[in-house]
């Protein structure tokens, strides 16, 4: 019997493009503005392309770092493309303060849901399913997104890449969700949209994986069962 449903956030509960694309573009542009004068030319579009975002079209590659990894991973990728004399993105306090300000300005209170969430989540919760969130975003950001969408009270726990259990596809966060809810992995389903989500489901040995995908030809892994692919949570 399935007792626990563990959800990814971006691309599943939250519209990744509408909520976070303006943020990552602004951060990329700010990052380029900090490149020292006289350095080899590099544009914000180059940084965005390196993490799976086409700046011209707004198209997001679900296999890219923007769709599936933490911002720390994105910074690491960007660092490799920036001039060798550039400051460290992850430790420079001025840079981090400005990034935090951009997130507050562009994303907080502006979370866009991926379709109707309250109805399907409310129905599942009322039916007795336990709901957890496992994301490669940070925990505070994820919790804020859930509050913005007015669904936070249905989720326990909320686990981010900074919660101390590693990032997906490492299994520890998913196993922790099971332990907190007192259920076995065999009583759990993972719902996600990227290979990180599918990979964590396999690594943790849960009962099944449901894939949220707009396009059947763009699945994160060809071994995902076609009958387990749905466009949004209303089909869950």
């Amino acid at each position: 019997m399935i007792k626990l449903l563990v959800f990814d956030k971006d691309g599943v509960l939250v519209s990744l493009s509408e909520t976070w694309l303006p943020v990552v573009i602004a951060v990329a542009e700010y990052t380029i503005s900090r490149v020292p004068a006289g350095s080899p030319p590099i544009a914000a579009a180059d940084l965005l392309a390196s993490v799976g975002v086409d700046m011209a079209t707004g198209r997001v590659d679900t296999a890219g770092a923007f769709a599936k990894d933490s911002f720390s991973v994105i910074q690491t990728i960007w660092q490799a493309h920036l001039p060798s004399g550039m400051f460290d993105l992850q430790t420079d306090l001025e840079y981090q303060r400005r990034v935090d300000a951009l997130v507050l300005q562009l994303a907080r209170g502006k979370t866009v849901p991926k379709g109707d969430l309250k109805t399907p989540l409310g129905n599942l919760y009322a039916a007795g399913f336990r709901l957890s969130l496992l994301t490669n975003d940070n925990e505070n950001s994820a919790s804020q997104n859930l509050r913005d969408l007015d669904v936070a009270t249905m989720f326990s726990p909320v686990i981010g890449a900074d919660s101390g259990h590693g990032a997906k596809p490492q299994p520890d966060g998913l196993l922790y969700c099971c332990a907190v809810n007192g259920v076995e992995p065999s009583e759990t389903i993972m719902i996600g949209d990227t290979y990180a989500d599918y990979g964590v489901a396999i690594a943790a040995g849960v009962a099944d994986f449901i894939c949220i995908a707009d396009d059947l030809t763009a699945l994160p892994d060809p071994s995902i069962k076609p009958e387990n692919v749905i466009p949004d949570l209303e089909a869950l």
Side-chain angles (χ1 to χ4, degrees):
M1 174 183 285
I2 300 301
K3 299 179 180 178
L4 172 64
L5 304 175
V6 181
F7 296 82
D8 173 49
K9 178 173 69 73
D10 297 315
V12 175
L13 304 179
V14 172
S15 171
L16 177 66
S17 295
E18 293 179 271
T19 302
W20 291 111
L21 192 56
V23 178
V24 77
I25 290 174
V27 173
E29 290 174 338
Y30 169 63
T31 303
I32 291 300
S33 77
R34 296 286 307 276
V35 172
S39 299
I42 184 170
D46 299 321
L47 294 184
L48 292 165
S50 72
V51 295
V53 176
D54 186 322
M55 187 173 178
T57 65
R59 186 177 181 86
V60 175
D61 180 0
T62 57
F66 173 62
K68 67 183 180 67
D69 291 313
S70 66
F71 189 60
S72 175
V73 172
I74 291 173
Q75 288 178 316
T76 299
I77 293 170
W78 284 359
Q79 194 81 58
H81 288 76
L82 293 168
S84 58
M86 185 83 170
F87 61 83
D88 187 275
L89 301 183
Q90 297 192 48
T91 59
D92 186 87
L93 295 181
E94 180 183 350
Y95 177 81
Q96 291 297 334
R97 280 194 292 267
R98 180 56 182 155
V99 169
D100 289 344
L102 286 170
V103 171
L104 284 171
Q105 174 189 345
L106 298 171
R108 292 297 176 258
K110 301 176 182 178
T111 306
V112 178
K114 187 175 175 65
D116 175 19
L117 296 183
K118 285 190 174 182
T119 301
L121 290 177
N123 289 340
L124 292 165
Y125 189 74
F129 289 101
R130 298 166 194 177
L131 313 181
S132 294
L133 186 74
L134 180 64
T135 176
N136 277 347
D137 192 4
N138 68 62
E139 183 178 330
N140 286 338
S141 175
S143 296
Q144 182 62 54
N145 287 150
L146 294 181
R147 289 192 294 270
D148 289 348
L149 298 172
D150 196 26
V151 296
T153 57
M154 289 188 274
F155 286 85
S156 180
V158 174
I159 302 298
D162 62 342
S163 298
H165 307 285
K168 296 178 293 186
Q170 297 176 43
D172 292 356
L174 183 45
L175 294 173
Y176 181 76
C177 290
C178 295
V180 166
N181 283 283
V183 305
E184 297 296 324
S186 60
E187 300 172 307
T188 302
I189 288 177
M190 179 73 202
I191 301 102
D193 67 322
T194 70
Y195 184 79
D197 303 318
Y198 184 54
V200 75
I202 293 171
V206 297
D208 215 339
F209 174 74
I210 300 295
C211 182
I212 305 292
D214 298 321
D215 182 358
L216 272 174
T217 66
L219 298 182
D221 191 278
S223 63
I224 294 172
K225 294 177 285 189
E227 62 268 27
N228 281 17
V229 182
I230 57 177
D232 53 46
L233 294 190
E234 293 183 68
L236 188 55

